[in-house]
Amino acid sequence: MKHRFIAKRYWKDQATAMGQSDVMAKCFDDVINLSLGDPDIVTPQIIIDKSYEDARSGHTKYTDFRGDPELRKEICNYYKEEFEMDVADEEVFVTASASLGMYLALEAVLDDGDEVILQSPHFTPYPQQVELARGIPIELDTFENEDFQINPARLRACITERTKAIVINSPNNPTGSCLTRDTMAQIAAIAEEYDLVVISDEIYTAYSYQHPFVPFASLPGMAERTITLNSFSKDYVMTGWRVGNIIAAPHIIKVIQQINENVVFTAPSISQRAAIHALRCRKEIQPQLVATFRERMCYAAERINRVPGMHVIQPPKGSFYLFINIRDTRMTSQEAAERILQECHVLMLPGNAFGSCGEGYLRIACTVEIPVLKEAFDRIEKSECFSNSEIERRNNE
């Protein structure tokens, strides 16, 4: 918005598709909202109850600046138990969400004009988060016919003398892809060769359906140059609690702490207590969550591949998102999303919101129950815009 009281860097409208989705969801009374990764599942009762007890017992004050010591200990224990990784206490910082964690990480490592390579399609806020830290975002395209893996040659082609970091995200939002061990090893070799920082967004750790999750920092030589972002939002359906953490070298953590003291001071104490109990109870909580989202993903993928002009990689690899290829329809991502909303009252996000190489795709979040997904695709199958005759007409134009 252009106004003399607004900083000029914000005069250009920078609203994201995610930010606009709330307004779009209110267009019709019966909209089925598949746009945001906010599950319909309430935080497990055991987490709520135990954090409530902690609140009543006095855990309502500021915590240690790096986070509740008990939570930091549980995070270290988690990495040791799950991945045989030795994470030291001084390498852990608790944040008020992984989104804030990304900003803190970028602010800590970037000088003005430094370039940051973004695995694309990417989480929509990444480019603006880089720019907030006075960096320059550089998109590294990945493609469906390559299983959305990072191509080493294209990665090298993006590197300049100003490149400081690369952001990777696996399991990935929006594509649902998971980087293979071979791909990660090649990224690691390039990062070492060019002395790059790797910021690894790992907030969908639990939802790696085909292969066990591998933290990027666990690769040989990568711990010292990797900043790992975690969140409790997805793995424990705690989106509203706004709590996550960063794993990085102590000198990076120290700077992140200094920045955070001037932003939010500390993450919410009660949310941190909830995170402690989430980690302690994860073997009780997560199996059902993973099974539920896997079932929804598989159902949605099967329905998508029955719709003319739509297809998606099957079986799903990870996260709870599906990236739907609609190129056969000859519609743009924006056109398809708008027609589905207007004709079917189903809200999806256009793929180009996740980077230029997302054009020709739509993203859905399988965050609703299967009966709701069924209704959504029943409506789409009846829609004229995805009929064989309409697709044929467009192809003949």
Side-chain angles (χ1 to χ4, degrees):
M1 175 180 290
K2 187 174 181 179
H3 191 281
R4 70 184 190 281
F5 294 155
I6 301 294
K8 291 182 177 63
R9 63 183 177 274
Y10 293 113
W11 279 12
K12 182 180 179 181
D13 183 13
Q14 295 181 325
T16 66
M18 288 196 309
Q20 296 167 344
S21 65
D22 184 57
V23 175
M24 301 295 287
K26 297 172 183 175
C27 288
F28 305 101
D29 292 338
D30 62 343
V31 167
I32 296 175
N33 190 350
L34 305 181
S35 67
L36 295 182
D38 193 1
D40 59 345
I41 301 170
V42 175
T43 301
Q45 194 64 42
I46 190 170
I47 296 175
I48 296 172
D49 290 344
K50 287 184 176 294
S51 59
Y52 173 72
E53 292 170 7
D54 285 349
R56 286 184 63 87
S57 67
H59 288 279
T60 59
K61 300 181 180 298
Y62 294 131
T63 67
D64 183 271
F65 291 170
R66 284 198 295 112
D68 188 315
E70 280 190 69
L71 176 53
R72 300 199 312 258
K73 182 178 179 180
E74 289 298 332
I75 291 168
C76 295
N77 290 342
Y78 165 80
Y79 273 90
K80 185 64 175 179
E81 292 171 7
E82 297 292 333
F83 309 114
E84 282 297 313
M85 282 180 63
D86 292 317
V87 175
D89 176 77
E90 58 267 26
E91 296 173 321
V92 179
F93 186 87
V94 179
T95 64
S97 79
S99 291
L100 176 61
M102 177 62 81
Y103 165 72
L104 294 171
L106 292 166
E107 184 70 23
V109 302
L110 297 184
D111 288 311
D112 291 12
D114 279 350
E115 294 176 353
V116 179
I117 298 171
L118 305 177
Q119 175 189 349
S120 186
H122 53 70
F123 183 46
T124 53
Y126 284 170
Q128 289 184 35
Q129 288 177 319
V130 171
E131 290 168 351
L132 280 171
R134 300 168 307 284
I136 300 172
I138 305 295
E139 291 189 8
L140 169 60
D141 294 346
T142 64
F143 301 100
E144 182 181 356
N145 63 357
E146 297 174 350
D147 199 25
F148 294 110
Q149 297 297 303
I150 289 176
N151 179 285
R154 285 198 293 272
L155 172 56
R156 288 179 181 276
C158 290
I159 297 172
T160 72
E161 62 182 11
R162 295 309 306 268
T163 305
K164 184 66 170 287
I166 174 173
V167 175
I168 61 174
N169 174 213
S170 178
N172 183 262
N173 174 11
T175 67
S177 65
C178 295
L179 296 177
T180 65
R181 279 180 174 269
D182 180 61
T183 296
M184 289 196 297
Q186 293 183 76
I187 295 168
I190 293 170
E192 193 163 28
E193 178 182 350
Y194 290 92
D195 197 24
L196 303 179
V197 175
V198 178
I199 303 176
S200 186
D201 185 344
E202 300 180 358
I203 77 168
Y204 298 95
T205 303
Y207 305 108
S208 180
Y209 301 123
Q210 296 187 0
H211 303 285
F213 177 79
V214 177
F216 190 82
S218 69
L219 273 62
M222 287 301 106
E224 66 181 30
R225 68 174 64 253
T226 300
I227 302 175
T228 302
L229 302 180
N230 285 318
S231 170
F232 291 82
S233 291
K234 315 300 183 177
D235 281 1
Y236 302 96
V237 289
M238 292 171 57
T239 53
W241 298 81
R242 310 315 295 139
V243 61
N245 66 269
I246 300 172
I247 308 292
H251 56 275
I252 294 176
I253 293 296
K254 183 177 181 179
V255 174
I256 285 173
Q257 176 185 327
Q258 293 171 352
I259 297 166
N260 191 68
E261 287 172 11
N262 298 289
V263 179
V264 297
F265 203 59
T266 67
S269 59
I270 299 171
S271 297
Q272 293 191 58
R273 299 305 299 181
I276 291 169
H277 301 301
L279 287 171
R280 289 175 179 170
C281 300
R282 67 184 183 275
K283 296 188 185 302
E284 174 184 346
I285 294 167
Q286 286 188 329
Q288 184 57 55
L289 289 175
V290 173
T292 296
F293 286 113
R294 185 204 297 264
E295 182 182 20
R296 292 178 180 184
M297 292 273 282
C298 290
Y299 174 81
E302 190 273 330
R303 290 299 304 268
I304 289 164
N305 287 333
R306 281 166 39 186
V307 177
M310 282 187 174
H311 67 265
V312 71
I313 293 175
Q314 195 174 14
K317 301 284 191 354
S319 77
F320 40 64
Y321 304 104
L322 292 172
F323 211 47
I324 306 170
N325 188 322
I326 49 107
R327 290 178 175 174
D328 289 346
T329 68
R330 297 297 179 92
M331 289 188 286
T332 67
S333 295
Q334 192 65 43
E335 289 170 339
E338 289 177 357
R339 287 199 64 176
I340 291 171
L341 177 60
Q342 294 299 322
E343 297 179 20
C344 310
H345 297 187
V346 175
L347 181 58
M348 303 179 177
L349 292 184
N352 60 348
F354 304 92
S356 58
C357 65
E359 180 55 65
Y361 290 82
L362 298 169
R363 192 203 75 173
I364 68 167
C366 296
T367 50
V368 297
E369 294 179 317
I370 286 179
V372 183
L373 289 170
K374 179 181 184 302
E375 173 63 21
F377 287 104
D378 285 349
R379 294 181 190 180
I380 291 169
E381 285 184 337
K382 296 174 184 176
S383 169
E384 179 65 23
C385 65
F386 287 97
S387 66
N388 284 314
S389 59
E390 176 69 8
I391 293 172
E392 184 177 355
R393 182 191 66 78
R394 284 194 216 101
N395 285 323
N396 290 332
E397 286 181 348

